[in-house]
Amino acid sequence: MKHKYLGKFITLEGTEGAGKSTNLKFMESWLKAQDIEVITTREPGGTDISEAVRAILLDNNNTAMTAETELLLMFAARNQHLQEKIIPALEAGKWVISDRFTDASYAYQGAARGISYGRILELEQWVQQGFYPNMTFVFDLSIEEGMKRVKSRGQTDRFEEEEHDFFEKVRSAYLNRAKQAPQRYEVIDAGLPLVQVQAQVEQKLKQLCLSAGKKVVA
Ligand code: Z5A
C-alpha cells in the first residue's frame, strides 16, 4: 500500500552486519545528488524519546525483559518516531530513509521470539493507521558472514548475544515477507562486493525516482 505524503519513505532491513548502515549513507548521497531533500534515521530510535527507549532495548543488563515488553517498546518508540519525525518530513516533501522499521518487529519479535503475527499486526494497524514504506530493501547475507563483518566491533548489545538459530529465523522471516509482497521489497544480495551491492541499490533508486516523476541525473 502507498502512503499519501509528498516524500518517499524507504526502509532498510536485514540481519546483523548485512550492510544497512553502509548503504544508508550511499543512498543518502545518491539521492542528494539527484537534488532530492532526504533525511536519514533509524529504529529503534530517531528522536530523543525513541533513542531513550532504544537504550533500554539494547542494554544487555536487561536480561529479564519479556518478548511482549520488547515488542511494546519497539512500537512505543515507533509511534514517537512516526509522529515527531517521519510523517512531518514526508509531509514537507522530504524523502526519509530509515535503518529498520516494522518489518524488523515481524522478523525479530515475531519469527525469532515467537509472538503471533496477529498480535504484531494489531499494533501495526494501531500505530501506523495504514502507513507503510514505499520501498523496503532487504540486505540478505549469511549469518556467518555477517558475524565476521561485525566481529571487530567489541562489545555486543542484548540482541547480538542471541544464538545463531535466532538469526536464521530472522533471515528467513525477511525473505518470506519479501516473497509475499515483491512490489514493496527489493532483496539485495549483500554477500557481493560493495560496489556490486551499490549498483543493485542504485538501479532500484532510479526506478523509484522515475515513478515519483523525478528526472535522474547520470
Ligand atoms: N530490532 C527489533 O528487534 N525489532 C524492531 O522492530 C526493530 C529493531 C526496529 C538494532 O540494531 C536492533 O534492534 C537489531 C534488531 C532490533 N538487532 N540486531 N541484531 P541495529 O539495526 O542498530 O544494528 P544491527 O542490525 O546490529 O546493524 P549492524 O550490525 O550495524 O549492521 P549493518 O548496519 O547492517 O552493517 P554495516 O555497519 O553497514 O556493515 C558492517 C561491516 O561490514 C562494516 O565494516 C562494513 O564496512 C562492512 N560491509 C558492508 N557491506 C559490505 C560488503 N558488501 N562487503 C564487505 N564488507 C561490507
Side-chain angles (χ1 to χ4, degrees), residues 60-205:
N60 50 20
N61 292 312
N62 287 334
T63 50
M65 189 181 296
T66 68
E68 290 75 16
T69 300
E70 189 176 281
L71 177 69
L72 289 165
L73 287 174
M74 290 293 176
F75 273 96
R78 182 162 300 133
N79 179 63
Q80 191 65 33
H81 190 204
L82 271 171
Q83 301 304 327
E84 192 184 330
K85 188 169 185 178
I86 297 176
I87 290 176
L90 294 171
E91 277 174 339
K94 293 177 190 162
W95 288 36
V96 178
I97 314 175
S98 183
D99 191 337
R100 298 195 185 278
F101 193 63
T102 306
D103 286 291
S105 300
Y106 282 102
Y108 285 80
Q109 284 67 54
R113 298 259 193 247
I115 297 183
S116 75
Y117 174 85
R119 185 62 84 206
I120 302 173
L121 184 66
E122 269 180 81
L123 290 171
E124 181 183 38
Q125 287 173 339
W126 180 41
V127 168
Q128 294 175 215
Q129 307 274 323
F131 173 90
Y132 295 95
N134 295 96
M135 180 167 291
T136 296
F137 288 88
V138 174
F139 291 88
D140 183 53
L141 183 68
S142 75
I143 306 305
E144 293 77 10
E145 182 58 29
M147 298 283 181
K148 262 193 238 160
R149 286 186 188 175
V150 297
K151 218 170 170 183
S152 58
R153 267 203 305 229
Q155 218 205 338
T156 52
D157 66 38
R158 204 171 55 82
F159 288 93
E160 289 164 349
E161 290 184 358
E162 290 297 336
E163 301 291 331
H164 183 278
D165 185 48
F166 177 92
F167 294 107
E168 288 292 359
K169 287 179 185 163
V170 170
R171 184 183 183 196
S172 303
Y174 278 131
L175 293 176
N176 285 337
R177 288 180 67 73
K179 212 186 251 178
Q180 281 162 24
Q183 67 285 3
R184 169 155 81 85
Y185 295 89
E186 183 66 17
V187 178
I188 302 288
D189 181 351
L192 294 172
L194 189 56
V195 59
Q196 288 178 38
V197 168
Q198 289 175 341
Q200 295 176 69
V201 168
E202 183 176 340
Q203 196 194 5
K204 211 59 209 174
L205 286 181

